[in-house]
Amino acid sequence: MGSCSVDRERLEMFEVGPCKDAYEMGLLIGQRFSKLIRSRVAADLILQNHLRPFALGHTPHSESLLKALFHANKTKFPTYWDELLGTAAGSGVPLLDQILLINFRKEILAFIPKEGAKGPTMDTSDDCSDVVVVGESMAIAAHNEDANVALVGHTYLIKGILPDGLFFVGYTYAGELPSCAFGFNSHGLAFTLDSVPPAEDEIVAGGIGRNFISRDLLEAASMDDALSRIQRSEVSVGHSYNLIETKTRRIFNVETASRNRISIYEVGEKPFFHANMYLHLPINQVHDENSMSRQKRASVLTKKSKGDFLSLLGDMDDKNYPIYMTGPLLHTLCTALIDLDEQTLSIIEGNPKKGAVSHVFSIAPQKSP
């Protein structure tokens, strides 16, 4: 895998709210980032070459899938649906054939026939890596946010202030709900996310989208509440969640799959590395050479200090499947470092070995207004 240089502008944070309703929040976000959202959808070859042709083909297969998907999510999460309506209106980007499609990309791509797919690849993995530990001397979660090259320069931070005065911060892909990547809220709850690849016989059409579940997690009041929100949603495909609670100093890795299957692993003193494979939920999954290579490489690297964790996430020893990715298809957009003892979330841009911190947030629980 070669590397290429890509322009990266400084990550912008937009504070929004309290708003009169979810539509207004989405509208203000869409207006603020209209240029970025338009640029992202134009550059997104997965959207243009796969998602839009499938949706606009108006076949019985595509129409039934999209109808079921949209109905299920609009019914379960009407406020987040309204938020997307606002984002589409504010940005001027069409809702049905662009904004909704990028928000449900994983739930749609899994059902697009592979034969005759237009474009260079249908491999659309968001190949993130996490290394976490909860020991006596440190409690750390470190996360590489890896994505398709189309997302480089097309992300922002949203600080959403809710009507009750509580807030969340989410790293957000342009045009999508916060956050399909990582975030935290004023209850002192944080999360990072990794995609996982269930096999075709393990997925169910028309379930709840992962973007909607993670948006819901941004409003969870506690670890138990977060787990409950995950368990209440019948997903189409699968996901891996690292749930982090500062006040209890605990980290859970949660793997999910369709038909309400879930496995919860509490992280302890032994460092735990998670790429894009199921590790503890028994399930048939797609053979992913990239994830297996990263998992193998991580297993031999030292993991005794915060510096070791950042060095691991910056590792480029495997030229074909490096942990820190520089293209041409997949890029590490940034690294998030969550320290439960310092109660901070730091965002590092560039290789985390060099430690160029661009943002630091307190994730200590806030008292209710």
Side-chain angles (χ1 to χ4, degrees):
M1 185 182 292
S3 66
C4 59
S5 96
V6 179
D7 290 335
R8 297 170 184 264
E9 295 184 8
R10 178 175 166 80
L11 188 64
E12 181 181 348
M13 186 169 91
F14 178 46
E15 184 173 312
V16 58
C19 297
K20 64 180 180 182
D21 54 29
Y23 180 88
E24 184 184 48
M25 177 175 278
L27 183 75
L28 294 171
I29 293 169
Q31 290 173 340
R32 176 63 171 262
F33 294 108
S34 175
K35 183 179 178 182
L36 216 57
I37 296 169
R38 288 170 177 268
S39 174
R40 182 259 169 103
V41 298
D44 193 331
L45 296 182
I46 295 165
L47 171 66
Q48 301 298 344
N49 292 338
H50 303 295
L51 298 174
R52 292 191 74 230
F54 176 75
L56 298 176
H58 298 295
T59 65
H61 173 54
S62 66
E63 289 190 350
S64 64
L65 172 67
L66 296 178
K67 182 179 180 181
L69 191 60
F70 296 168
H71 175 75
N73 286 270
K74 183 178 181 180
T75 301
K76 184 168 181 61
F77 293 118
T79 56
Y80 307 147
W81 187 269
D82 286 348
E83 202 173 303
L84 278 184
L85 295 181
T87 299
S91 64
V93 174
L95 176 74
L96 287 173
D97 70 341
Q98 297 199 47
I99 293 294
L100 288 179
L101 299 186
I102 58 175
N103 276 275
F104 289 114
R105 67 190 186 281
K106 292 290 183 177
E107 289 76 19
I108 298 171
L109 283 168
F111 295 94
I112 296 180
K114 303 298 185 289
E115 62 276 3
K118 179 184 174 187
T121 180
M122 276 291 282
D123 178 9
T124 59
S125 300
D126 301 323
D127 285 323
C128 301
S129 298
D130 280 83
V131 57
V132 295
V133 70
V134 179
E136 284 188 17
S137 62
M138 65 175 182
I140 298 286
H143 168 87
N144 274 0
E145 183 59 29
D146 306 322
N148 185 280
V149 64
L151 273 304
V152 175
H154 292 133
T155 61
Y156 42 79
L157 293 164
I158 296 297
K159 180 176 181 179
I161 302 174
L162 303 175
D164 59 7
L166 296 170
F167 69 86
F168 65 79
V169 174
Y171 182 89
T172 307
Y173 289 9
E176 298 189 30
L177 288 169
S179 164
C180 68
F182 59 87
F184 70 94
N185 65 26
S186 49
H187 291 293
L189 188 84
F191 62 79
T192 67
L193 307 174
D194 304 304
S195 64
V196 283
E200 280 192 26
D201 61 349
E202 300 281 12
I203 58 180
V204 173
I208 300 303
R210 294 176 302 169
N211 276 18
F212 281 74
I213 298 168
S214 53
R215 172 64 184 84
D216 198 39
L217 286 180
L218 285 171
E219 300 192 20
S222 65
M223 180 74 81
D224 287 344
D225 186 24
L227 288 169
S228 177
R229 289 171 188 246
I230 293 171
Q231 290 171 316
R232 289 199 303 262
S233 294
E234 175 106 15
V235 299
S236 279
V237 286
H239 219 23
S240 170
Y241 304 83
N242 293 300
L243 300 179
I244 300 147
E245 188 171 46
T246 55
K247 61 187 174 186
T248 58
R249 201 174 179 268
R250 300 176 85 184
I251 301 176
F252 289 175
N253 176 256
V254 183
E255 294 180 341
T256 67
S258 62
R259 298 185 283 276
N260 287 118
R261 288 171 292 174
I262 185 169
S263 176
I264 301 169
Y265 170 80
E266 182 165 5
V267 176
E269 292 184 2
K270 182 179 179 181
F272 178 77
F273 180 84
H274 202 293
N276 302 99
M277 300 163 50
Y278 286 100
L279 297 181
H280 47 90
L281 179 65
I283 190 172
N284 295 324
Q285 60 182 314
V286 176
H287 179 87
D288 180 18
E289 192 65 37
N290 189 328
S291 280
M292 290 192 295
S293 296
R294 283 180 286 136
Q295 201 80 36
K296 183 178 179 181
R297 175 63 180 159
S299 70
V300 301
L301 293 174
T302 303
K303 296 179 280 294
K304 293 182 179 179
S305 68
K306 186 187 298 188
D308 289 342
F309 278 29
L310 294 177
S311 180
L312 183 157
L313 290 181
D315 186 79
M316 302 175 70
D317 184 72
D318 188 321
K319 302 306 178 188
N320 291 321
Y321 302 112
I323 295 175
Y324 182 80
M325 302 180 187
T326 56
L329 180 63
L330 293 166
H331 284 258
T332 301
L333 303 178
C334 68
T335 300
L337 177 66
I338 299 171
D339 188 319
L340 275 73
D341 294 323
E342 294 181 0
Q343 298 193 333
T344 57
L345 184 154
S346 304
I347 297 177
I348 301 169
E349 299 194 68
N351 192 307
K353 284 185 178 182
K354 300 174 184 177
V357 176
S358 64
H359 299 75
V360 180
F361 299 96
S362 169
I363 58 170
Q366 307 289 310
K367 292 182 179 179
S368 299

